[in-house]
Structures are given as C-alpha cells and as structure tokens.
Amino acid sequence: MGMTWSATAVDAERTAALLRAPGQIVEALYADYDADEATGRVAYLDKAWHAIHFVLNQSAWEGVPPWNWVIFGGEPVSDDPDEDAPRHVPADHVRQIAAALATLPADEFGRRYDAQALADADIYPDVIWLRDGDEAKDYVVSYYTVLTAFYADAAARGDSVFTSIG
C-alpha cells in the first residue's frame, strides 16, 4: 500500500468544531469522506506527494513558505508524537498556497521535474523515478494538477484544510 497524502477542505464552522475535539478528527473526516469527495472538498495524491514537494522546494523535507506548506503545512492536531495525526492548514495559509500554485502552471511544473534529482534525493517512492521515465513524470504532473485545483477551490470558499500522510 505505502504512504499516501490526502486532504479535506473544511469550512470555518466545521473546522472550529473539529479542533475542539482533535481526537475525533480522523473519524469525522472519514465519516464524511464520500460527501466531501462529491463536493470537491477532498484531494488525494497517492504517492506523488513527496515528488511534488521536492519539485516545488528542491528539498526532500525543507522549503520556504508558502511552497513548503503545500504538502507539509499546518500544525499537527495531536500532541502525541507517536501518532500520525492530521495537520490543520489554516484558511489564510490555504489562500497563500493557492496563490503560489497559481503562479506555477502544470506545464512549468513539468519542466522543473527532474527524475535524476528525485532519485538522488531518495524521494518516496524512490524506485520509480528512473525506472518509469515519462510515466512517472506524467503521474506526478497529473496529481499536481489535482492539487492546484483543490487548493484554488478551497481558497475561493475560505476553507481551511486537514492533511494526512499515511
């Protein structure tokens, strides 16, 4: 299965309720997943998340705002360091992320994609970058397109976002 990235855009009222009960966030988001997906409030990047972060930041784990917020933004909603807790990206950061992504169209993002750099940096899942060639690039660029639309729509509604990698 592997590690995948997903996100759910949430309006201000629901965000406040979820943040008051952080132990119930995962259950609440999954309970409403189908409805959220139907309304375009869910994004799923499969295993392309790490490559997207790398292309945007030229770093496996670091970066500068708002680019590093795209995948790793927000604050964990749990104080338990052993828990893979979702992260909450506040609405003002969502707006900044969407604005930044709007300046980098998918074709330009694709030109920045470098399979050798991804392989050299051990970007997850490291086995595919050189092996799969253009298919790996198309895979990443297609999910980048999903991501930019997701953040643009969330920003337009004024939503915050809960993300998780698991």
Side-chain angles (χ1 to χ4, degrees):
M1 186 164 143
M3 297 186 329
T4 61
W5 184 95
S6 62
T8 304
V10 179
D11 66 42
E13 183 179 333
R14 186 172 175 212
T15 294
L18 289 171
L19 291 175
R20 283 192 300 272
Q24 298 171 9
I25 289 175
V26 172
E27 182 180 328
L29 292 177
Y30 279 120
D32 295 332
Y33 188 85
D34 290 340
D36 289 334
E37 186 175 38
T39 60
R41 291 180 179 266
V42 171
Y44 174 74
L45 300 183
D46 194 43
K47 298 174 187 172
W49 58 271
H50 203 196
I52 291 170
H53 174 82
F54 185 82
V55 172
L56 294 176
N57 292 280
Q58 297 305 301
S59 170
W61 304 105
E62 304 299 322
V64 297
W67 300 105
N68 65 327
W69 295 341
V70 174
I71 300 297
F72 299 126
E75 295 293 327
V77 295
S78 171
D79 292 331
D80 183 352
D82 294 330
E83 185 179 327
D84 278 338
R87 300 178 69 83
H88 171 245
V89 182
D92 63 321
H93 287 193
V94 171
R95 283 189 297 278
Q96 291 176 58
I97 291 166
L101 293 174
T103 69
L104 184 62
D107 60 340
E108 176 61 27
F109 176 88
R111 284 191 286 279
R112 294 182 184 188
Y113 176 94
D114 180 339
Q116 187 63 57
L118 291 165
D120 291 346
D122 295 323
I123 300 303
Y124 178 80
D126 60 352
V127 66
I128 72 168
W129 310 123
L130 298 176
R131 181 193 73 198
D132 294 356
D134 285 341
E135 285 184 33
K137 178 181 177 178
D138 293 345
Y139 168 77
V140 173
V141 172
S142 70
Y143 278 113
Y144 176 75
T145 301
V146 167
L147 184 67
T148 58
F150 169 77
Y151 273 116
D153 292 346
R157 289 188 302 264
D159 291 346
S160 65
V161 169
F162 288 90
T163 68
S164 65
I165 298 173

